[in-house]
Amino acid sequence: MDKSKRLFLKSKRSFRRRLPPIQSGDRIDYRNMSLISRFISEQGKILSRRVNRLTLKQQRLITIAIKQARILSSLPFLNNEK
């Protein structure tokens, strides 16, 4: 097989589809701290949608829940622990 034909061959590797980070039964709520804490970095920042692998609607709901938890003081605004 010559070099020009080899460029167009697809790889035979199969990939495993990743499980969504939020299951259908999970309720996105400011009181669900175990769920919310998965989407916050170590510094206390909200992780991006690309990193979280969430849909746009889910990311909006997570962001609102995190902000509500911060305002109600159940979640810190910053995490400056070293």
Side-chain angles (χ1 to χ4, degrees), residues 25-57:
D26 287 341
R27 184 162 166 78
I28 301 174
D29 196 14
Y30 67 92
R31 292 170 284 183
N32 193 351
M33 296 309 289
S34 61
L35 178 71
I36 287 177
S37 61
R38 285 193 269 163
F39 303 106
I40 298 177
S41 70
E42 290 183 13
Q43 292 85 24
K45 295 180 181 179
I46 301 172
L47 294 174
S48 71
R49 198 179 137 216
R50 187 186 54 196
V51 174
N52 290 337
R53 292 199 161 90
L54 294 175
T55 63
L56 183 62
K57 190 174 183 180

mmCIF file of all heavy atoms in Angstrom, residues 25-57:
data_model
loop_
_atom_site.group_PDB
_atom_site.id
_atom_site.type_symbol
_atom_site.label_atom_id
_atom_site.label_comp_id
_atom_site.label_asym_id
_atom_site.label_seq_id
_atom_site.Cartn_x
_atom_site.Cartn_y
_atom_site.Cartn_z
ATOM 1 N N GLY A 25 -31.647 10.802 37.647
ATOM 2 C CA GLY A 25 -32.319 10.892 38.941
ATOM 3 C C GLY A 25 -31.773 11.979 39.844
ATOM 4 O O GLY A 25 -32.414 12.356 40.827
ATOM 5 N N ASP A 26 -30.579 12.501 39.532
ATOM 6 C CA ASP A 26 -29.968 13.536 40.367
ATOM 7 C C ASP A 26 -30.739 14.844 40.237
ATOM 8 O O ASP A 26 -31.077 15.282 39.146
ATOM 9 C CB ASP A 26 -28.512 13.781 39.964
ATOM 10 C CG ASP A 26 -27.604 12.656 40.391
ATOM 11 O OD1 ASP A 26 -27.993 11.877 41.273
ATOM 12 O OD2 ASP A 26 -26.494 12.568 39.840
ATOM 13 N N ARG A 27 -31.000 15.450 41.385
ATOM 14 C CA ARG A 27 -31.704 16.724 41.387
ATOM 15 C C ARG A 27 -30.675 17.836 41.580
ATOM 16 O O ARG A 27 -29.911 17.814 42.543
ATOM 17 C CB ARG A 27 -32.722 16.739 42.516
ATOM 18 C CG ARG A 27 -33.579 17.956 42.556
ATOM 19 C CD ARG A 27 -34.816 17.696 43.392
ATOM 20 N NE ARG A 27 -35.489 18.925 43.727
ATOM 21 C CZ ARG A 27 -36.277 19.606 42.889
ATOM 22 N NH1 ARG A 27 -36.455 19.146 41.676
ATOM 23 N NH2 ARG A 27 -36.866 20.700 43.269
ATOM 24 N N ILE A 28 -30.644 18.784 40.656
ATOM 25 C CA ILE A 28 -29.709 19.907 40.748
ATOM 26 C C ILE A 28 -30.335 20.935 41.682
ATOM 27 O O ILE A 28 -31.315 21.588 41.337
ATOM 28 C CB ILE A 28 -29.425 20.514 39.361
ATOM 29 C CG1 ILE A 28 -28.834 19.456 38.439
ATOM 30 C CG2 ILE A 28 -28.489 21.702 39.486
ATOM 31 C CD1 ILE A 28 -28.658 19.911 37.016
ATOM 32 N N ASP A 29 -29.763 21.026 42.891
ATOM 33 C CA ASP A 29 -30.324 21.891 43.912
ATOM 34 C C ASP A 29 -29.190 22.436 44.773
ATOM 35 O O ASP A 29 -28.148 21.787 44.904
ATOM 36 C CB ASP A 29 -31.294 21.082 44.771
ATOM 37 C CG ASP A 29 -32.216 21.946 45.598
ATOM 38 O OD1 ASP A 29 -32.299 23.154 45.321
ATOM 39 O OD2 ASP A 29 -32.855 21.412 46.523
ATOM 40 N N TYR A 30 -29.382 23.592 45.360
ATOM 41 C CA TYR A 30 -28.321 24.194 46.170
ATOM 42 C C TYR A 30 -28.056 23.407 47.446
ATOM 43 O O TYR A 30 -27.016 23.550 48.072
ATOM 44 C CB TYR A 30 -28.656 25.649 46.497
ATOM 45 C CG TYR A 30 -29.842 25.834 47.420
ATOM 46 C CD1 TYR A 30 -29.665 25.919 48.798
ATOM 47 C CD2 TYR A 30 -31.129 25.913 46.911
ATOM 48 C CE1 TYR A 30 -30.742 26.073 49.643
ATOM 49 C CE2 TYR A 30 -32.213 26.075 47.750
ATOM 50 C CZ TYR A 30 -32.019 26.153 49.112
ATOM 51 O OH TYR A 30 -33.091 26.309 49.944
ATOM 52 N N ARG A 31 -28.966 22.543 47.856
ATOM 53 C CA ARG A 31 -28.776 21.740 49.068
ATOM 54 C C ARG A 31 -28.009 20.448 48.800
ATOM 55 O O ARG A 31 -27.527 19.812 49.723
ATOM 56 C CB ARG A 31 -30.131 21.407 49.689
ATOM 57 C CG ARG A 31 -30.823 22.637 50.244
ATOM 58 C CD ARG A 31 -32.224 22.311 50.620
ATOM 59 N NE ARG A 31 -33.010 22.222 49.382
ATOM 60 C CZ ARG A 31 -34.311 22.012 49.322
ATOM 61 N NH1 ARG A 31 -34.983 21.849 50.417
ATOM 62 N NH2 ARG A 31 -34.932 21.971 48.185
ATOM 63 N N ASN A 32 -27.889 20.056 47.529
ATOM 64 C CA ASN A 32 -27.201 18.811 47.163
ATOM 65 C C ASN A 32 -25.704 19.088 47.044
ATOM 66 O O ASN A 32 -25.160 19.231 45.960
ATOM 67 C CB ASN A 32 -27.783 18.293 45.841
ATOM 68 C CG ASN A 32 -27.369 16.885 45.536
ATOM 69 O OD1 ASN A 32 -26.517 16.321 46.206
ATOM 70 N ND2 ASN A 32 -27.979 16.316 44.514
ATOM 71 N N MET A 33 -25.033 19.138 48.200
ATOM 72 C CA MET A 33 -23.624 19.547 48.232
ATOM 73 C C MET A 33 -22.698 18.512 47.585
ATOM 74 O O MET A 33 -21.676 18.865 47.022
ATOM 75 C CB MET A 33 -23.177 19.810 49.672
ATOM 76 C CG MET A 33 -23.899 20.968 50.319
ATOM 77 S SD MET A 33 -23.880 22.454 49.325
ATOM 78 C CE MET A 33 -22.198 22.924 49.482
ATOM 79 N N SER A 34 -23.042 17.246 47.652
ATOM 80 C CA SER A 34 -22.184 16.228 47.035
ATOM 81 C C SER A 34 -22.157 16.385 45.515
ATOM 82 O O SER A 34 -21.125 16.171 44.882
ATOM 83 C CB SER A 34 -22.660 14.834 47.417
ATOM 84 O OG SER A 34 -23.980 14.621 46.947
ATOM 85 N N LEU A 35 -23.267 16.788 44.934
ATOM 86 C CA LEU A 35 -23.330 17.005 43.487
ATOM 87 C C LEU A 35 -22.627 18.308 43.111
ATOM 88 O O LEU A 35 -21.809 18.328 42.185
ATOM 89 C CB LEU A 35 -24.791 17.047 43.019
ATOM 90 C CG LEU A 35 -25.005 17.308 41.531
ATOM 91 C CD1 LEU A 35 -24.574 16.092 40.728
ATOM 92 C CD2 LEU A 35 -26.425 17.658 41.245
ATOM 93 N N ILE A 36 -22.909 19.362 43.853
ATOM 94 C CA ILE A 36 -22.347 20.679 43.539
ATOM 95 C C ILE A 36 -20.825 20.682 43.652
ATOM 96 O O ILE A 36 -20.132 21.273 42.829
ATOM 97 C CB ILE A 36 -22.963 21.752 44.461
ATOM 98 C CG1 ILE A 36 -24.409 22.016 44.048
ATOM 99 C CG2 ILE A 36 -22.178 23.040 44.429
ATOM 100 C CD1 ILE A 36 -25.120 22.985 44.936
ATOM 101 N N SER A 37 -20.299 20.006 44.650
ATOM 102 C CA SER A 37 -18.852 20.059 44.892
ATOM 103 C C SER A 37 -18.054 19.398 43.776
ATOM 104 O O SER A 37 -16.866 19.670 43.625
ATOM 105 C CB SER A 37 -18.522 19.413 46.232
ATOM 106 O OG SER A 37 -18.927 18.061 46.223
ATOM 107 N N ARG A 38 -18.674 18.565 42.959
ATOM 108 C CA ARG A 38 -17.974 17.958 41.823
ATOM 109 C C ARG A 38 -17.675 18.962 40.719
ATOM 110 O O ARG A 38 -16.806 18.728 39.890
ATOM 111 C CB ARG A 38 -18.818 16.828 41.225
ATOM 112 C CG ARG A 38 -18.818 15.576 42.073
ATOM 113 C CD ARG A 38 -19.398 14.445 41.286
ATOM 114 N NE ARG A 38 -20.840 14.376 41.528
ATOM 115 C CZ ARG A 38 -21.690 13.724 40.770
ATOM 116 N NH1 ARG A 38 -21.284 13.080 39.707
ATOM 117 N NH2 ARG A 38 -22.976 13.707 41.064
ATOM 118 N N PHE A 39 -18.389 20.073 40.697
ATOM 119 C CA PHE A 39 -18.263 21.044 39.613
ATOM 120 C C PHE A 39 -17.546 22.311 40.045
ATOM 121 O O PHE A 39 -17.625 23.335 39.376
ATOM 122 C CB PHE A 39 -19.645 21.375 39.054
ATOM 123 C CG PHE A 39 -20.376 20.157 38.579
ATOM 124 C CD1 PHE A 39 -21.425 19.624 39.307
ATOM 125 C CD2 PHE A 39 -19.974 19.503 37.435
ATOM 126 C CE1 PHE A 39 -22.075 18.493 38.881
ATOM 127 C CE2 PHE A 39 -20.619 18.363 37.001
ATOM 128 C CZ PHE A 39 -21.669 17.852 37.725
ATOM 129 N N ILE A 40 -16.818 22.242 41.167
ATOM 130 C CA ILE A 40 -16.056 23.375 41.669
ATOM 131 C C ILE A 40 -14.595 22.971 41.740
ATOM 132 O O ILE A 40 -14.265 21.871 42.169
ATOM 133 C CB ILE A 40 -16.569 23.792 43.061
ATOM 134 C CG1 ILE A 40 -18.019 24.228 42.956
ATOM 135 C CG2 ILE A 40 -15.730 24.900 43.643
ATOM 136 C CD1 ILE A 40 -18.635 24.583 44.263
ATOM 137 N N SER A 41 -13.713 23.874 41.313
ATOM 138 C CA SER A 41 -12.276 23.595 41.360
ATOM 139 C C SER A 41 -11.784 23.683 42.802
ATOM 140 O O SER A 41 -12.524 24.069 43.713
ATOM 141 C CB SER A 41 -11.516 24.576 40.478
ATOM 142 O OG SER A 41 -11.544 25.854 41.051
ATOM 143 N N GLU A 42 -10.514 23.364 42.996
ATOM 144 C CA GLU A 42 -9.938 23.425 44.338
ATOM 145 C C GLU A 42 -9.866 24.856 44.863
ATOM 146 O O GLU A 42 -9.884 25.084 46.068
ATOM 147 C CB GLU A 42 -8.542 22.809 44.338
ATOM 148 C CG GLU A 42 -8.565 21.316 44.142
ATOM 149 C CD GLU A 42 -7.181 20.702 44.226
ATOM 150 O OE1 GLU A 42 -6.250 21.402 44.687
ATOM 151 O OE2 GLU A 42 -7.047 19.539 43.836
ATOM 152 N N GLN A 43 -9.780 25.816 43.962
ATOM 153 C CA GLN A 43 -9.745 27.222 44.365
ATOM 154 C C GLN A 43 -11.147 27.770 44.652
ATOM 155 O O GLN A 43 -11.288 28.888 45.122
ATOM 156 C CB GLN A 43 -9.113 28.097 43.274
ATOM 157 C CG GLN A 43 -7.643 27.855 43.076
ATOM 158 C CD GLN A 43 -7.380 26.697 42.142
ATOM 159 O OE1 GLN A 43 -8.219 26.354 41.318
ATOM 160 N NE2 GLN A 43 -6.216 26.090 42.264
ATOM 161 N N GLY A 44 -12.177 27.015 44.333
ATOM 162 C CA GLY A 44 -13.545 27.460 44.563
ATOM 163 C C GLY A 44 -14.212 28.024 43.337
ATOM 164 O O GLY A 44 -15.303 28.590 43.413
ATOM 165 N N LYS A 45 -13.585 27.879 42.171
ATOM 166 C CA LYS A 45 -14.156 28.405 40.931
ATOM 167 C C LYS A 45 -15.104 27.380 40.315
ATOM 168 O O LYS A 45 -14.908 26.171 40.448
ATOM 169 C CB LYS A 45 -13.055 28.713 39.923
ATOM 170 C CG LYS A 45 -12.131 29.815 40.343
ATOM 171 C CD LYS A 45 -11.088 30.036 39.279
ATOM 172 C CE LYS A 45 -10.116 31.112 39.672
ATOM 173 N NZ LYS A 45 -9.092 31.309 38.647
ATOM 174 N N ILE A 46 -16.089 27.877 39.580
ATOM 175 C CA ILE A 46 -17.009 27.005 38.852
ATOM 176 C C ILE A 46 -16.291 26.523 37.600
ATOM 177 O O ILE A 46 -15.786 27.325 36.821
ATOM 178 C CB ILE A 46 -18.301 27.755 38.481
ATOM 179 C CG1 ILE A 46 -18.997 28.274 39.731
ATOM 180 C CG2 ILE A 46 -19.228 26.847 37.694
ATOM 181 C CD1 ILE A 46 -20.168 29.189 39.451
ATOM 182 N N LEU A 47 -16.259 25.210 37.406
ATOM 183 C CA LEU A 47 -15.586 24.652 36.235
ATOM 184 C C LEU A 47 -16.409 24.887 34.982
ATOM 185 O O LEU A 47 -17.639 24.973 35.030
ATOM 186 C CB LEU A 47 -15.347 23.160 36.429
ATOM 187 C CG LEU A 47 -14.377 22.786 37.547
ATOM 188 C CD1 LEU A 47 -14.349 21.283 37.728
ATOM 189 C CD2 LEU A 47 -12.995 23.309 37.242
ATOM 190 N N SER A 48 -15.736 24.977 33.849
ATOM 191 C CA SER A 48 -16.415 25.273 32.590
ATOM 192 C C SER A 48 -17.216 24.074 32.093
ATOM 193 O O SER A 48 -17.020 22.940 32.519
ATOM 194 C CB SER A 48 -15.402 25.692 31.520
ATOM 195 O OG SER A 48 -14.640 24.577 31.137
ATOM 196 N N ARG A 49 -18.071 24.351 31.189
ATOM 197 C CA ARG A 49 -18.946 23.333 30.623
ATOM 198 C C ARG A 49 -18.160 22.275 29.861
ATOM 199 O O ARG A 49 -18.475 21.091 29.882
ATOM 200 C CB ARG A 49 -19.918 24.041 29.678
ATOM 201 C CG ARG A 49 -21.119 23.251 29.354
ATOM 202 C CD ARG A 49 -22.009 24.053 28.441
ATOM 203 N NE ARG A 49 -22.459 23.135 27.432
ATOM 204 C CZ ARG A 49 -22.663 23.422 26.175
ATOM 205 N NH1 ARG A 49 -22.463 24.625 25.744
ATOM 206 N NH2 ARG A 49 -23.062 22.511 25.352
ATOM 207 N N ARG A 50 -17.113 22.690 29.212
ATOM 208 C CA ARG A 50 -16.279 21.773 28.443
ATOM 209 C C ARG A 50 -15.575 20.781 29.367
ATOM 210 O O ARG A 50 -15.456 19.604 29.050
ATOM 211 C CB ARG A 50 -15.262 22.586 27.650
ATOM 212 C CG ARG A 50 -14.442 21.792 26.678
ATOM 213 C CD ARG A 50 -13.405 22.675 26.078
ATOM 214 N NE ARG A 50 -12.641 23.308 27.141
ATOM 215 C CZ ARG A 50 -11.863 24.347 26.973
ATOM 216 N NH1 ARG A 50 -11.735 24.909 25.817
ATOM 217 N NH2 ARG A 50 -11.200 24.864 27.980
ATOM 218 N N VAL A 51 -15.132 21.262 30.514
ATOM 219 C CA VAL A 51 -14.465 20.398 31.486
ATOM 220 C C VAL A 51 -15.471 19.453 32.141
ATOM 221 O O VAL A 51 -15.206 18.268 32.330
ATOM 222 C CB VAL A 51 -13.745 21.251 32.565
ATOM 223 C CG1 VAL A 51 -13.178 20.389 33.670
ATOM 224 C CG2 VAL A 51 -12.665 22.087 31.917
ATOM 225 N N ASN A 52 -16.649 19.976 32.461
ATOM 226 C CA ASN A 52 -17.670 19.194 33.151
ATOM 227 C C ASN A 52 -18.371 18.182 32.257
ATOM 228 O O ASN A 52 -18.967 17.243 32.750
ATOM 229 C CB ASN A 52 -18.745 20.116 33.722
ATOM 230 C CG ASN A 52 -18.243 20.924 34.873
ATOM 231 O OD1 ASN A 52 -17.290 20.555 35.533
ATOM 232 N ND2 ASN A 52 -18.879 22.040 35.099
ATOM 233 N N ARG A 53 -18.352 18.439 30.956
ATOM 234 C CA ARG A 53 -19.106 17.644 29.985
ATOM 235 C C ARG A 53 -20.606 17.657 30.286
ATOM 236 O O ARG A 53 -21.261 16.634 30.361
ATOM 237 C CB ARG A 53 -18.591 16.212 29.935
ATOM 238 C CG ARG A 53 -17.211 16.106 29.368
ATOM 239 C CD ARG A 53 -16.935 14.696 28.916
ATOM 240 N NE ARG A 53 -15.828 14.674 28.001
ATOM 241 C CZ ARG A 53 -14.557 14.535 28.364
ATOM 242 N NH1 ARG A 53 -14.261 14.412 29.625
ATOM 243 N NH2 ARG A 53 -13.612 14.515 27.475
ATOM 244 N N LEU A 54 -21.120 18.867 30.502
ATOM 245 C CA LEU A 54 -22.541 19.058 30.773
ATOM 246 C C LEU A 54 -23.219 19.701 29.575
ATOM 247 O O LEU A 54 -22.563 20.300 28.728
ATOM 248 C CB LEU A 54 -22.728 19.985 31.976
ATOM 249 C CG LEU A 54 -22.251 19.486 33.327
ATOM 250 C CD1 LEU A 54 -22.405 20.587 34.357
ATOM 251 C CD2 LEU A 54 -23.010 18.261 33.745
ATOM 252 N N THR A 55 -24.529 19.567 29.538
ATOM 253 C CA THR A 55 -25.282 20.299 28.525
ATOM 254 C C THR A 55 -25.405 21.744 28.980
ATOM 255 O O THR A 55 -25.135 22.079 30.142
ATOM 256 C CB THR A 55 -26.689 19.696 28.344
ATOM 257 O OG1 THR A 55 -27.405 19.839 29.567
ATOM 258 C CG2 THR A 55 -26.620 18.230 27.953
ATOM 259 N N LEU A 56 -25.826 22.609 28.087
ATOM 260 C CA LEU A 56 -25.950 24.026 28.409
ATOM 261 C C LEU A 56 -26.966 24.240 29.526
ATOM 262 O O LEU A 56 -26.734 25.009 30.456
ATOM 263 C CB LEU A 56 -26.356 24.806 27.158
ATOM 264 C CG LEU A 56 -26.468 26.314 27.302
ATOM 265 C CD1 LEU A 56 -25.127 26.896 27.689
ATOM 266 C CD2 LEU A 56 -26.956 26.924 26.023
ATOM 267 N N LYS A 57 -28.075 23.542 29.454
ATOM 268 C CA LYS A 57 -29.121 23.675 30.464
ATOM 269 C C LYS A 57 -28.631 23.206 31.830
ATOM 270 O O LYS A 57 -28.877 23.852 32.855
ATOM 271 C CB LYS A 57 -30.344 22.871 30.036
ATOM 272 C CG LYS A 57 -31.565 23.105 30.862
ATOM 273 C CD LYS A 57 -32.745 22.378 30.267
ATOM 274 C CE LYS A 57 -34.012 22.656 31.023
ATOM 275 N NZ LYS A 57 -35.159 21.954 30.435
#
